[in-house]
Amino acid sequence: MSAKKSPTWVYQGKSVLQLIEEFGTFENQNQEVFISVDYGDSRKPAGSVRKRNGYYLLSQHEGDEQTKPVGSERSTHAKSIGQLVNELQLLERQDLEVRISIRGDDGGKPISLVGKKNSCCMLMSCSDFYDQKSGG
């Protein structure tokens, strides 16, 4: 039995410049930005961006340890799209990939999708979902 190959967009990730461009397509720049590493089933508010071994890591907002199901009450800790764009524009290397992490100690996951879910902007990684689906 042959294993199905996952689509390339799942692992390709997005550069700083690509994220800025995608954020520019959102009409409401005040929408809060959340990150998810489980295909959007749960989310954490976007926090700090820091350089790590050849890429940038966008981690959860410090102090918000509880994962919130999508559709739960609005968080006051999440950055808005506009705030995150301003932060991304200050980064030295616009060509480097931005990965997301809900734990600061991992290497991060590629950003597979950027989209609106309920009333917030979601940066989602689908790599774990596809790895489990394909048995990898």
Side-chain angles (χ1 to χ4, degrees), residues 13-84:
K14 300 193 182 295
S15 70
V16 172
L17 191 55
Q18 288 171 317
L19 269 182
I20 292 170
E21 288 173 357
E22 287 198 44
F23 282 144
T25 66
F26 284 78
E27 189 174 306
N28 181 359
Q29 294 290 299
N30 292 318
Q31 278 183 329
E32 293 179 307
V33 180
F34 288 85
I35 58 176
S36 176
V37 294
D38 60 7
Y39 209 20
D41 290 337
S42 61
R43 65 183 186 178
K44 297 231 181 200
S48 61
V49 180
R50 63 186 180 278
K51 192 168 182 184
R52 262 253 174 104
N53 303 329
Y55 61 90
Y56 290 106
L57 188 66
L58 172 60
S59 56
Q60 74 177 35
H61 179 272
E62 298 298 323
D64 192 355
E65 294 300 320
Q66 187 175 11
T67 300
K68 298 182 183 343
V70 173
S72 65
E73 76 284 347
R74 185 177 166 100
S75 167
T76 57
H77 300 296
K79 292 182 178 181
S80 70
I81 292 172
Q83 289 171 319
L84 198 50

Side-chain angles (χ1 to χ4, degrees), residues 67-105:
T67 300
K68 298 182 183 343
V70 173
S72 65
E73 76 284 347
R74 185 177 166 100
S75 167
T76 57
H77 300 296
K79 292 182 178 181
S80 70
I81 292 172
Q83 289 171 319
L84 198 50
V85 165
N86 288 341
E87 210 172 304
L88 292 171
Q89 288 173 332
L90 295 174
L91 297 176
E92 184 179 320
R93 297 277 313 271
Q94 301 286 302
D95 61 321
L96 291 182
E97 180 183 2
V98 179
R99 296 180 187 171
I100 56 177
S101 174
I102 59 170
R103 295 187 327 259
D105 59 347

